[in-house]
Amino acid sequence: MKLSLISFLAATGYATAASSNPFAPKVSANTAASAYTAKLVRGAKVMRSLEGQQQEDGGIDLTNYSIKFEKCQFVKEFAGEEGGGEDGQFLQTKRFIIFRLCPNNSCGSCNYDFGEYLVDLETYLQATTEFVEEKQQAMCETCNGCYDQAYNNDGGDDNNGDNQNDCSGIDVSTCYEECQNIENMENNGYLDASEFIECQALENNNNNNNGVAYYAGAMCASSGSRIKIGVFTDEDCSILAENMDVESMLYGDNGAMKLSYHKIKSVFPESDCVASCLQEEEQDENNDGNNYQAAETAEICQTLYEAAGKCESIHGFSAMKYYNNNNGQGNYYNQVRNEEAVCNYMSNVMSGIYDPSGEISISGGRSITGGGAATTGGQKFALTFFILGSVGLAGYAAMLHQQLTKGAKSTLAQQGGAMA
């Protein structure tokens, strides 16, 4: 999914007013400003794909960096020229992940020489869970080999040990149990939560929904610090089904199923790195020490870097500086030109101005949705007090007016009798 949105400003004539400030006042924050900044995020991508750059000039070197998860956030924005779709809604929900590329072994701090990036939730989860799965497969392959050597072999050494695994430092019993749990997940009543990264219908839900269609998909949780699978009422997984647990709607051949987050939980560690951008070297099959390989950027970092909106200059990201100094500014001119707006957009997403559903939430609980405003309890009390007070004052004024009118008539009557 691209980070793109046709600006609603152009259609409503507010483009000029918002161009100097993406969050300009007097324009609904969930409408024009969001559309404008989203358009800039789209424009912040590099003009050519990273793969094309690698073929021509080697591409940017990210091998000294690691991926760090920062935040998950839903953001509601105008649907642009789609016109709100079949349901007539003019707002659509974007699902964003903000992550950083931090210098290796510094994900706990990461306060300089880093890049900050914005990418859609689905792209992030697909890239990171694929990485985790490959890592788990490699681990289990090694573990199973070591288990066979430790428990199933008679001490023989076929081919002079050429087929033996290096099992030093491996806790065979622990890793073997973990790998068996993964392999027999469904038999144990679990489904892999990563299977629901893309929004999909909950078809087998034991017919307890009275004909109502529900959908499962990834969503942000715990104020954006975690990712989980939620239940939604629309096929885009943008309208959350409140107070519904996805596990209560999952059924398999053996009955009710639960979700295993063994992959997804690895892509949002609190302070650790998600993955290193240094591609691991392939094993030296000949054990002759001649399997040297030049450092390469790992595929997970290539994928996310290419797809993301970028905020790098203000954080002193040295990889971009080095690349531009050696290859010219042309490849990234569009990114640099719009980087201030992109960085501001990320800053607003990080600052907490959006609630979990993607609405903009102003201090005091006031939320803005498509140009409308919902008042807080305090505001409602003040408004009620003001109305009742106004009514009371109006009544008191009417009473005074009536008394003065009666008094004037009585005085005139008395004066008329005296004159007679």
Side-chain angles (χ1 to χ4, degrees), residues 13 24 51 59 62 125 144-145 153 155 158 185 191 194 202 284 304 312 322 325 339 373 389 408:
E51 180 180 359
L62 302 176
L125 286 178
N144 290 336
N153 288 353
D158 296 338
M185 186 185 310
L191 294 175
S194 65
L202 289 168
D284 185 359
L304 292 178
E312 298 174 331
Y322 179 83
N325 290 338
E339 191 173 46

Side-chain angles (χ1 to χ4, degrees), residues 5 36 143 187 197 330 333 371 387 401:
L5 183 64
Y36 176 72
C143 180
N187 293 334
I197 289 175
Y333 76 92
I387 293 173
H401 176 72

Side-chain angles (χ1 to χ4, degrees), residues 43-47 324 328-339:
K45 294 183 181 180
V46 292
M47 298 301 293
N324 288 341
Q329 301 287 339
N331 293 335
Y332 287 87
Y333 76 92
N334 199 35
Q335 171 194 333
V336 174
R337 183 182 63 184
N338 293 317
E339 191 173 46

